[in-house]
């Protein structure tokens, strides 16, 4: 039997924890405390998750409100063809895709508490200016910059949440903020129904006010988020010292963050290794078709309903129930997949519902 090496007891000075900007020096292992565990993640859900959810809510709202504006008269006022409308949609996603990886690298260097609010504020300004366009060419310029500033939002928010939650608790939180896209789709219809009644105010059509009001709210929330978004758990003012230590150590123990900060940097070799995994390619295909369906419904649902003989206002209202239902289903699916570890089965079940729904539509 090997003898254990004797470790002298630590002095009160040595036990003191010094807070660094990006790390916390603590013991090698933290005792699991059920009461503290529940309290710290409840605080995270109260202070961090709502802000992150609002970021993605506004991102989806400002990116897809073009569909509501089209029904309210945007296409006819700018003398756009159906093809030109589709080009405007497609153009949004060119800089959106290109900006995703670089923005995440900048986010890690600058800090999410500065990068994310800056992106939000900038695309709020562009959305507001979208309500002042009078030509198709100017609309294209606005759509380009909206895509550019929003491109890093989704990957940035996922990366940001990984700073605060262990991996085992991350999926439900990602589902929570991603599902706000459904709420955004429902809310967009209700909001557009109310705003288009402002037609003529300030000599602007109702569709222009959709962009102006939603863009102004995004801009103001972006300014406020500079003061609301903590950089990391060690900067979270809603956590006391004991809670702070516990959170950081739990993140280390579950592998969410590295103990050695220098080992947590960007590595192109690891990026290359990710592309060798068959799961990555399978999920990429699934997400591609899922995104095509989601974005297609967001942009074209009001137009489809309008062709069934309903008025513009009625079409906005009738686009609400499907998105509201999808939010409830998404949250149930997230809970079931986490609770029973059956994400593949949940994905297949959801896909079968989608196939059945489009079969009925056809």
């Amino acid at each position: 039997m090997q003898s254990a090496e004797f470790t002298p007891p630590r002095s009160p000075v040595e036990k003191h924890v010094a807070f660094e900007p990006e790390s916390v020096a603590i013991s090698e292992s933290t005792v699991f405390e059920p009461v503290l565990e529940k309290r710290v993640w409840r605080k995270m859900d109260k202070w961090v998750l709502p802000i992150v959810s609002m970021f993605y809510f506004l991102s989806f709202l400002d990116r897809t409100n073009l569909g509501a504006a089209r029904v309210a008269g945007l296409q006819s006022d700018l003398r756009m063809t159906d093809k030109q409308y589709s080009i405007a949609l497609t153009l949004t996603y060119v800089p959106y895709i290109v900006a995703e990886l670089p923005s995440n690298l900048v986010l890690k260097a600058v800090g999410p508490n500065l990068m994310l609010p800056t992106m939000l504020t900038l695309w709020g300004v562009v959305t507001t200016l979208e309500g002042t366009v009078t030509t198709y060419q100017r609309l294209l310029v606005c759509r380009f910059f909206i895509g550019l500033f929003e491109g890093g939002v989704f990957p940035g928010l996922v990366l940001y949440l990984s700073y605060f939650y262990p991996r085992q608790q991350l999926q439900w939180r990602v589902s929570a903020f991603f599902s706000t896209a459904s709420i955004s789709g429902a809310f967009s219809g209700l909001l557009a129904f109310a705003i288009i009644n402002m037609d003529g105010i300030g000599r602007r059509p109702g569709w222009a006010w959709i962009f102006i009001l939603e863009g102004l709210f995004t801009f103001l929330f972006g300014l406020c988020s500079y003061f609301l978004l903590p950089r990391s758990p060690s900067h979270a003012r809603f956590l006391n010292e004991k809670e702070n230590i516990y959170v950081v150590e739990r993140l280390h123990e579950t592998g969410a963050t590295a103990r050695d900060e220098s080992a947590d940097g960007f590595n192109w070799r690891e990026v290359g290794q990710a592309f060798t995994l068959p799961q990555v390619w399978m999920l990429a295909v699934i997400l591609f078709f899922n995104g095509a369906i989601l974005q297609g419904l967001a942009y074209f649902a009001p137009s489809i309903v309008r062709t069934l003989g309903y008025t513009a206002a009625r079409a906005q209202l009738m686009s609400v129930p499907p998105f509201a239902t999808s939010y409830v289903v998404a949250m149930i699916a997230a809970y079931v997949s986490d609770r029973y570890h059956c994400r593949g089965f949940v994905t297949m079940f959801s896909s079968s519902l989608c196939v059945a729904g489009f079969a009925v539509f056809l």
Side-chain angles (χ1 to χ4, degrees), residues 184-197:
S184 176
F187 187 76
S188 178
L190 289 173
L191 196 60
F193 172 76
I195 294 177
I196 58 177
N197 293 319

Side-chain angles (χ1 to χ4, degrees), residues 33 113 122 129-130 139-140 147 153 195 217 241 245 268 272 328 354 358:
E33 300 183 31
N113 59 316
L122 290 176
L129 294 177
E130 198 172 2
L139 176 66
L140 291 181
V153 174
I195 294 177
F217 179 83
E241 183 175 349
I245 296 172
W268 278 108
V328 177
C354 190
F358 274 102

Side-chain angles (χ1 to χ4, degrees), residues 127-128 191 195 198 208-218:
T127 301
T128 304
L191 196 60
I195 294 177
M198 297 177 63
W209 285 109
I210 294 177
F211 295 125
I212 293 172
L213 294 182
E214 293 179 2
L216 284 175
F217 179 83
T218 300

Side-chain angles (χ1 to χ4, degrees), residues 20-298:
E20 299 291 335
E22 293 298 329
S23 63
V24 180
I26 48 183
S27 63
E28 288 297 317
S29 179
T30 293
V31 178
F32 181 81
E33 300 183 31
V35 176
L36 187 59
E37 175 85 3
K38 184 179 296 185
R39 186 168 73 242
V40 294
W41 306 129
R42 188 185 298 120
K43 282 190 175 184
M44 293 293 188
D45 292 341
K46 178 181 177 181
W47 292 99
V48 176
L49 191 58
I51 301 174
V52 169
S53 299
M54 181 60 75
F55 267 66
Y56 195 70
F57 173 88
L58 294 174
S59 170
F60 197 83
L61 181 69
D62 293 339
R63 191 168 68 253
T64 61
N65 55 13
L66 191 64
R70 181 194 191 190
V71 173
L74 167 70
Q75 184 169 344
S76 58
D77 287 354
L78 298 186
R79 297 179 178 85
M80 295 164 51
T81 64
D82 291 342
K83 181 180 180 181
Q84 287 177 321
Y85 175 75
S86 297
I87 291 175
L89 297 183
T90 305
L91 180 64
T92 308
Y93 289 95
V94 175
Y96 187 97
I97 296 170
V98 173
E100 285 188 319
L101 179 58
S103 65
N104 256 23
L105 299 179
V106 176
L107 182 143
K108 294 192 70 173
V110 176
N113 59 316
L114 297 178
M115 183 69 177
L116 292 173
T118 299
M119 290 191 297
L120 182 66
T121 304
L122 290 176
W123 93 62
V125 173
V126 177
T127 301
T128 304
L129 294 177
E130 198 172 2
T132 66
V133 299
T134 55
T135 64
Y136 172 64
Q137 290 73 20
R138 293 178 182 179
L139 176 66
L140 291 181
V141 173
C142 288
R143 297 305 300 180
F144 176 88
F145 281 102
I146 285 178
L148 180 65
F149 294 136
E150 286 196 21
V153 174
F154 179 69
L157 293 177
V158 174
L159 178 63
Y160 179 69
L161 285 181
S162 70
Y163 295 165
F164 290 85
Y165 292 98
R167 292 177 180 178
Q168 294 80 359
Q169 301 185 33
L170 188 59
Q171 195 266 345
W172 185 88
R173 273 76 182 189
V174 173
S175 298
F177 90 74
F178 184 76
S179 297
T180 58
S182 300
I183 299 179
S184 176
F187 187 76
S188 178
L190 289 173
L191 196 60
F193 172 76
I195 294 177
I196 58 177
N197 293 319
M198 297 177 63
D199 185 54
I201 297 179
R203 296 182 179 180
R204 297 194 179 279
W207 61 262
W209 285 109
I210 294 177
F211 295 125
I212 293 172
L213 294 182
E214 293 179 2
L216 284 175
F217 179 83
T218 300
F219 172 74
L220 293 176
F221 185 82
L223 295 180
C224 295
S225 62
Y226 281 105
F227 307 97
L228 299 174
L229 210 63
R231 181 184 178 92
S232 66
S234 59
H235 294 81
R237 288 174 291 184
F238 52 84
L239 296 177
N240 58 41
E241 183 175 349
K242 181 180 180 181
E243 293 169 343
N244 198 305
I245 296 172
Y246 186 81
V247 168
V248 175
E249 181 62 12
R250 287 285 290 149
L251 292 174
H252 289 336
E253 289 179 349
T254 57
T257 57
R259 292 184 183 278
D260 181 8
E261 295 297 330
S262 62
D264 199 29
F266 180 79
N267 191 321
W268 278 108
R269 182 171 174 272
E270 293 179 353
V271 175
Q273 289 176 340
F275 283 98
T276 63
L277 299 174
Q279 297 94 327
V280 171
W281 291 102
M282 291 170 62
L283 291 175
V285 173
I286 293 172
L287 188 59
F288 174 85
F289 288 107
N290 178 72
I293 293 171
L294 175 62
Q295 304 296 336
L297 287 174

Side-chain angles (χ1 to χ4, degrees), residues 167-173 175 330-344 346:
R167 292 177 180 178
Q168 294 80 359
Q169 301 185 33
L170 188 59
Q171 195 266 345
W172 185 88
R173 273 76 182 189
S175 298
M331 295 310 300
I332 294 175
Y335 172 78
V336 172
S337 63
D338 265 1
R339 177 68 175 80
Y340 299 102
H341 306 285
C342 57
R343 293 171 185 168
V346 170

